Amino acid sequence: MLLDFNEASERVDDRVYDVAIAGAGPAGISIALALAAKGHRIVLLEGGGLDYSDASQDSYRGRLSGPRYAPLDATRLRYLGGTSNHWTGRCGALDPVDFEPRRNRVLPGWPISRDELYRFGRQAREILDLPSAPFRPARRPPLASTQFRLTEFAMSPPTRFLGKYRDALRTSRRIDCYINANLVDIEADPTARHVRAFSIRNYRGQIRRLRARRYIVALGSLENARILLNSDHVRPGGLGNESGMVGRCFMEHLDVQLGDFVMTDQAFWRAGKIGLNASAALIRQRGISSGLISFTPSVQPTYYGRAAFLRKLFSGPACRIDPDGARRLSGYPCPGDNIVSSMIEQISNPASRVRLTGEKDALGLRRIDLHWNIHRNDIATIETLAQAVARELARMDVARMRIAPEVLTRRIDFFGVQSHQMGTTRMSADPRFGVVDPHQKVHGIDNLYIAGSSVYPTGGAVNPTFTLVAMSLRLADHLAGLA
Ligand SMILES: Cc1cc2nc3c(=O)[nH]c(=O)nc-3n(C[C@H](O)[C@H](O)[C@H](O)COP(=O)(O)OP(=O)(O)OC[C@H]3O[C@@H](n4cnc5c(N)ncnc54)[C@H](O)[C@@H]3O)c2cc1C
């Protein structure tokens, strides 16, 4: 059933659901449908409505410190379906090498195997409308390299969870899905080891308690940490934060322009853009993180920001007269450039973190400060990969690459992002190094679980949503098996 908590707050009664899930994005919706299919009574709480609204989106505003990051209310969407309402749909799986220990890490990696993580990969493909065939490179030029492999991926249409699953939620007899129902507090008992209720609030200021045997927080990476930190009545510092790890180890995929290239083998580039991932051999040899490097021949630059129109107007003539000067001045490639961009894994770094500020939103939740931090090992990965790929292209005699000076000198001052927000409630077998255990249960609390990419202990060099949907189905399966 689909209910509006603004209109129907009185419908919330004393019933105890099997599972209460907060957040109706890809993670929350996947879990709700999977548990309902197994006969469980679910309440699914969505803070936004059925469309974008300023009132809901405003709750995502926050402060930034550290290197420049995109505004926090621009990288996510706060209504039914969540950020899937504007995601691109590119999907792939973590590489086997992502599950091996690495020399450059400061914290342990995944405590579960890759096979275990993707046990529900087939069902995740169905949810995301992906082909059933394994992820593959988009094209296959001959690539005789031990250092790089062609990137394997598939495109979702992209699946919008609101459009695809609204009717299933509306007609379900086992799911009560409330829109305009904001989780504002996770109420724990006096020991802080058991959750007693979710407090939810609508836009009329009405607050109700909702009870269940088990609780799942699926609000997206930044909000998962935010709600634990805000729920600090019983345990100062926030729920599940004995180790001080809640909010720490925020990770993004770094989008750094590594340089440009000239083609020396036209046939190799005939099919256009290609993506290369660092091979397991290169990663092990050099002790670096994972990375995907994309080569785009003859770009049509897109200009962003306030001065976008002016940049576009002047870049044509300026690029014809003095291309180097124009590139330097605008910070963008010239039309027709062959550029090398990247998607680089960040190490899980405790200094990169989400904290609460003193400012509250209209719902009474303290807003966050995102202190994003780029570790020197991240910079080392970027420079190492740029050098390795430039050498490899020359060895294969398909292109010559000019590495950007700031990459060579490791003085990079601008990091683009992919809006892949990960970490903040990382998974660890040992409670000292994370927030959730291998079943995504918060360490030390017997009935609270976290879903989404906030639990990733490492992010690899692959888009995160396929993995988080597969993990959500694994979590549903685990909960269905409990008494
Ligand atoms: C522009 C863009 C492009 C992207 N492209 C890709 C891509 O190509 N491939 C890929 O894998 N990933 C991509 N992503 C990332 C992808 O969108 C996320 O990984 C995915 O949406 C995360 O799902 P989620 O359910 O964990 O969180 P979300 O989708 O963020 O859903 C969280 C839900 O919780 C709700 N909520 C928040 N706070 C509360 C509260 N207090 N109470 C109740 N409800 C609340 C929100 O309204 C939302 O519905 C992209 C992201 C962006 C921004």
Side-chain angles (χ1 to χ4, degrees):
M1 213 177 339
L2 199 51
L3 299 150
D4 186 342
F5 188 54
N6 273 342
E7 311 297 333
S9 60
E10 71 287 347
R11 287 191 64 127
V12 175
D13 52 28
D14 280 345
R15 100 183 57 176
V16 179
Y17 290 92
D18 292 323
V19 181
I21 304 166
I29 291 179
S30 301
I31 300 171
L33 293 172
L35 281 172
K38 296 199 175 198
H40 293 254
R41 287 283 296 146
I42 308 298
V43 64
L44 176 62
L45 305 165
E46 168 52 47
L50 295 176
D51 206 341
Y52 175 92
S53 74
D54 287 340
S56 174
Q57 193 70 16
D58 179 75
S59 180
Y60 273 169
R61 275 198 302 109
R63 222 165 56 193
L64 299 170
S65 51
R68 190 168 64 175
Y69 192 79
L72 298 181
D73 55 342
T75 52
R76 322 171 269 165
L77 282 175
R78 201 175 185 281
Y79 63 99
L80 196 82
T83 309
S84 82
N85 287 300
H86 72 174
W87 78 312
T88 310
R90 190 177 160 107
C91 292
L94 289 160
D95 201 43
V97 74
D98 291 321
F99 294 79
E100 296 177 7
R102 301 254 177 102
R103 291 204 299 277
N104 69 340
R105 288 189 186 149
V106 297
L107 288 171
W110 288 91
I112 55 177
S113 69
R114 185 175 188 272
D115 284 351
E116 176 59 26
L117 188 66
Y118 291 114
R119 198 148 53 87
F120 291 89
R122 186 180 56 74
Q123 294 88 332
R125 283 169 192 277
E126 284 167 17
I127 288 178
L128 296 169
D129 303 301
L130 294 167
S132 55
F135 294 115
R136 290 215 168 91
R139 42 164 273 175
R140 292 181 177 278
L143 192 80
S145 173
T146 55
Q147 307 276 284
F148 291 90
R149 62 174 173 83
L150 289 165
T151 301
E152 291 156 4
F153 68 98
M155 292 305 292
S156 166
T159 303
R160 310 269 179 233
F161 279 65
L162 170 59
K164 182 169 178 187
Y165 292 114
R166 178 183 173 162
D167 277 350
L169 296 173
R170 193 173 50 77
T171 55
S172 172
R173 286 185 293 117
R174 299 216 176 86
I175 303 174
D176 287 345
C177 175
Y178 284 93
I179 55 168
N180 297 314
N182 297 281
L183 176 64
V184 290
D185 188 38
I186 305 172
E187 186 187 310
D189 76 2
T191 65
R193 303 205 158 272
H194 182 79
V195 172
R196 287 206 290 219
F198 271 172
S199 284
I200 53 171
R201 178 173 172 153
N202 64 17
Y203 294 94
R204 296 172 164 187
Q206 292 165 312
I207 298 182
R208 294 278 185 279
R209 291 172 79 239
L210 249 164
R211 293 190 301 145
R213 292 193 300 133
R214 298 194 171 85
Y215 298 83
I216 302 176
V217 174
L219 310 176
S221 276
L222 300 175
E223 299 303 300
N224 283 351
R226 180 182 178 199
I227 194 69
L228 291 177
L229 293 170
N230 262 281
S231 301
D232 59 353
H233 309 294
V234 179
R235 202 203 161 277
L239 266 189
N241 201 14
E242 271 76 2
S243 59
M245 290 298 282
V246 173
R248 290 192 185 267
C249 303
F250 171 80
M251 301 178 285
E252 251 290 352
H253 283 129
L254 305 174
D255 179 0
V256 176
Q257 204 163 308
L258 301 182
D260 50 24
F261 64 103
V262 289
M263 307 173 209
T264 51
D265 177 352
Q266 297 295 330
F268 183 87
W269 299 100
R270 197 168 298 132
K273 181 170 177 165
I274 84 162
L276 299 179
N277 275 77
S279 70
L282 177 64
I283 289 169
R284 287 187 200 120
Q285 258 164 34
R286 307 300 301 269
I288 53 173
S289 302
S290 292
L292 156 60
I293 303 179
S294 298
F295 296 84
T296 313
S298 194
V299 293
Q300 274 311 318
T302 312
Y303 299 93
Y304 298 100
R306 286 207 190 100
F309 176 72
L310 286 178
R311 281 196 176 116
K312 189 167 178 196
L313 196 69
F314 290 118
S315 69
C319 282
R320 275 196 296 278
I321 297 162
D322 176 11
D324 278 344
R327 288 184 195 104
R328 246 197 332 275
L329 212 65
S330 70
Y332 287 89
C334 284
D337 279 359
N338 303 322
I339 59 158
V340 186
S341 55
S342 60
M343 183 163 110
I344 307 286
E345 176 182 35
Q346 274 200 274
I347 67 158
S348 189
N349 162 14
S352 184
R353 66 186 294 199
V354 168
R355 277 181 290 212
L356 294 182
T357 66
E359 192 200 338
K360 289 186 178 173
D361 66 15
L363 302 163
L365 284 169
R366 278 162 283 170
R367 294 189 190 273
I368 55 169
D369 169 56
L370 173 61
H371 184 79
W372 188 33
N373 181 280
I374 316 278
H375 196 274
R376 63 176 181 283
N377 293 359
D378 301 330
I379 312 268
T381 292
I382 294 166
E383 190 259 333
T384 306
L385 283 177
Q387 297 258 21
V389 84
R391 242 181 266 122
E392 203 58 358
L393 292 181
R395 186 193 61 74
M396 293 189 292
D397 201 13
V398 293
R400 298 290 179 276
M401 175 174 156
R402 177 170 58 176
I403 302 176
E406 63 275 17
V407 171
L408 274 178
T409 54
R410 299 192 178 188
R411 294 220 175 93
I412 305 166
D413 58 6
F414 176 75
F415 299 88
V417 293
Q418 311 271 351
S419 299
H420 297 163
Q421 296 162 347
M422 301 167 287
T424 75
T425 67
R426 71 194 305 275
M427 181 188 281
S428 66
D430 184 332
R432 286 175 304 161
F433 303 129
V435 177
V436 301
D437 72 9
H439 287 300
Q440 299 179 226
K441 187 180 77 59
V442 175
H443 286 297
I445 302 183
D446 65 6
N447 60 345
L448 179 63
Y449 295 79
I450 313 266
S453 51
S454 64
V455 306
Y456 293 7
T458 74
V462 69
N463 307 61
T465 308
F466 172 72
T467 301
L468 75 85
V469 170
M471 289 180 79
S472 297
L473 299 175
R474 174 179 175 266
L475 172 57
D477 180 69
H478 172 69
L479 294 181
L482 298 178

